[in-house]
Amino acid sequence: MDAQAKTKSNFKAVLFLLVVLLCNLFVHGVIFMFFKESTLNPLVTALAAVIWGVVGVYFLYFSFSKAVEQFPERIGRNILPYIFIGPAVLLLGWLLVLPALRTLYLSFFNASSDKFVGLGNYLAIFSDRLLATALRNNLLWVFVGTLACVALGLLIAILADRSSYERIAKSIIFMPMAISFVAAGVIWKFVYYYQPGTEQIGLLNAIVIAFGGEPQAWVTMLQPWNNFFLIVILVWMQTGFAMVIFSAAIKGVPEDILEAARVDGAGEIRIFFRIIIPFISTTLLTVTTTIIVFTLKIFDVVMVMTGGQYDTEVVATQFYRQFFMYRNFGYGSTLAIVLLIAVLPVIYFNLRQIRKQGGF
């Protein structure tokens, strides 16, 4: 009798959970369709969408929590974590996994996605001169940009840690992280601005003229050196990120070990390479791989500064051009998959490093 009562109780709990799930899907689906077909003022629609997001998420978890309470305590305790992470996982799947699978599917078709071409697009991209240029530029961003960000970030972290103006210096260097890559591109577009003649509004050319030099079209005419001028923008933005992470790791080096090394006669350079670097090696690898991911999928700076012209094309801008401008969906999707394949090993390595540190 007890077994039958438990089975009946569990059946009712499962039924209640399904009803809650279906009701949430129906209600939120109706609201989504309303916003999709809405002709309201854009500001009113945006405000209503924000309210729906906040209130909707609250009632979503509230209703699921009530449904879990219908189960016996042991079963409810096992189900509850999945209930709370379930919507987030579904949303990530909808926004990330499904588009990635659809992009992979499109990469096997022609430009108009109506004829299956197999691996034709993948074979074509390796014989494309523009892609060769894009890959070369991406490698420049990866090696030069990452090396400069990590080296400068580490150097500044060491020097700032011994300065009485540590907070001010770190705040100034970290400040570029507060703006987007697009905004940074606009700022540096004015820095590199060039116009024929002696009157220059670009900061860099104005400085060059002040010292008796000739103004230059830094990001257009000076090929392939113009790529290095674009990489400077990445360094300007990401050095602050590397500096903050390295500074926190350096402060974690035990002071007694450093003092013991100094007592034994070790110099600061030897302490840096023999004690500090090995101690923060995991952090060093994590920061390096994170910046590598940034450089592999760099897009905003190049698009704002040059639009990918003047031999500054990277894989992401070539994908944008093929997919959205030329409407070559098959080739554009193939470029996106190639970029994804290039990024995945770095992300996997980064996650392994975070796991070693007990991040998850």
Side-chain angles (χ1 to χ4, degrees), residues 32 116 174 191 246 250 294:
F32 174 77
F116 182 78
F174 188 77
V191 173
F246 287 144
I250 290 169
F294 286 147

Side-chain angles (χ1 to χ4, degrees), residues 116-166:
F116 182 78
V117 296
L119 297 176
N121 289 321
Y122 290 91
L123 296 175
I125 62 175
F126 291 106
S127 60
D128 190 335
R129 183 186 64 82
L130 287 176
L131 184 66
T133 302
L135 289 172
R136 181 205 69 187
N137 292 338
N138 264 111
L139 289 176
L140 278 177
W141 280 86
V142 168
F143 288 107
V144 178
T146 303
L147 180 63
C149 290
V150 171
L152 285 174
L154 186 57
L155 178 63
I156 295 169
I158 289 289
L159 297 177
D161 191 48
R162 306 182 181 195
S163 171
S164 57
Y165 300 100
E166 178 182 1

Side-chain angles (χ1 to χ4, degrees), residues 254-265 271 275:
E255 192 64 33
D256 54 345
I257 297 178
L258 299 177
E259 290 298 328
R262 292 188 181 104
V263 169
D264 289 341
I271 290 174
I275 297 177

Side-chain angles (χ1 to χ4, degrees), residues 37 59 91 191 347:
E37 306 295 336
F59 280 105
L91 187 62
V191 173
I347 294 176

Side-chain angles (χ1 to χ4, degrees), residues 38-349:
S38 175
T39 57
L40 296 173
N41 182 283
L43 290 177
V44 175
T45 303
L47 180 61
V50 170
I51 294 173
W52 170 46
V54 175
V55 177
V57 168
Y58 171 78
F59 280 105
L60 182 71
Y61 284 110
F62 177 79
S63 59
F64 277 126
S65 180
K66 287 296 182 184
V68 171
E69 289 177 4
Q70 308 301 315
F71 288 91
E73 183 180 355
R74 183 178 61 83
I75 298 177
R77 189 168 57 248
N78 293 330
I79 294 176
L80 193 60
Y82 297 99
I83 292 295
F84 277 93
I85 68 170
V89 172
L90 290 174
L91 187 62
L92 284 174
W94 183 29
L95 296 177
L96 296 178
V97 178
L98 288 180
L101 292 176
R102 184 174 181 274
T103 303
L104 179 63
Y105 172 77
L106 290 175
S107 70
F108 297 114
F109 287 81
N110 65 349
S112 55
S113 302
D114 57 5
K115 182 180 178 182
F116 182 78
V117 296
L119 297 176
N121 289 321
Y122 290 91
L123 296 175
I125 62 175
F126 291 106
S127 60
D128 190 335
R129 183 186 64 82
L130 287 176
L131 184 66
T133 302
L135 289 172
R136 181 205 69 187
N137 292 338
N138 264 111
L139 289 176
L140 278 177
W141 280 86
V142 168
F143 288 107
V144 178
T146 303
L147 180 63
C149 290
V150 171
L152 285 174
L154 186 57
L155 178 63
I156 295 169
I158 289 289
L159 297 177
D161 191 48
R162 306 182 181 195
S163 171
S164 57
Y165 300 100
E166 178 182 1
R167 291 185 179 180
I168 297 175
K170 287 182 177 179
S171 298
I172 293 173
I173 295 168
F174 188 77
M175 201 175 296
M177 282 289 296
I179 62 176
S180 66
F181 275 101
V182 173
V186 172
I187 292 171
W188 281 85
K189 200 175 181 97
F190 284 104
V191 173
Y192 291 143
Y193 187 82
Y194 165 79
Q195 62 184 13
T198 56
E199 288 190 13
Q200 299 292 327
I201 64 171
L203 177 63
L204 185 55
N205 275 324
I207 294 172
V208 169
I209 290 176
F211 283 93
E214 292 291 328
Q216 302 289 335
W218 305 103
V219 295
T220 57
M221 301 300 293
L222 297 178
Q223 303 170 18
W225 302 103
N226 51 357
N227 286 287
F228 292 100
F229 290 107
L230 298 183
I231 293 172
V232 167
I233 305 172
L234 172 80
V235 176
W236 179 68
M237 293 193 67
Q238 294 299 316
T239 297
F241 162 75
M243 174 203 65
V244 169
I245 304 300
F246 287 144
S247 181
I250 290 169
K251 289 183 183 299
V253 179
E255 192 64 33
D256 54 345
I257 297 178
L258 299 177
E259 290 298 328
R262 292 188 181 104
V263 169
D264 289 341
E268 294 299 323
I269 295 178
R270 189 173 184 181
I271 290 174
F272 176 75
F273 285 104
R274 294 294 183 88
I275 297 177
I276 295 178
I277 290 296
F279 195 89
I280 66 169
S281 59
T282 305
T283 303
L284 192 63
L285 286 173
T286 302
V287 171
T288 301
T289 51
T290 301
I291 296 178
I292 286 175
V293 171
F294 286 147
T295 56
L296 281 173
K297 57 188 183 70
I298 195 70
F299 170 79
D300 317 61
V301 170
V302 178
M303 185 56 67
V304 171
M305 295 292 293
T306 64
Q309 301 179 77
Y310 315 113
D311 281 343
T312 60
E313 194 89 71
V314 291
V315 176
T317 57
Q318 181 69 2
F319 153 71
Y320 175 83
R321 196 181 305 281
Q322 292 290 337
F323 198 96
F324 294 103
M325 296 177 66
Y326 303 153
R327 312 299 288 176
N328 189 342
F329 300 121
Y331 197 81
S333 299
T334 305
L335 289 170
I337 294 299
V338 168
L339 189 59
L340 178 65
I341 292 172
V343 170
L344 280 178
V346 184
I347 294 176
Y348 174 73
F349 179 79

Side-chain angles (χ1 to χ4, degrees), residues 8-30:
K8 188 176 181 180
S9 176
N10 290 339
F11 177 76
K12 288 182 178 179
V14 171
L15 185 62
F16 185 73
L17 180 59
L18 290 175
V19 170
V20 168
L21 176 62
L22 292 174
C23 286
N24 273 289
L25 288 174
F26 175 77
V27 171
H28 293 290
V30 169

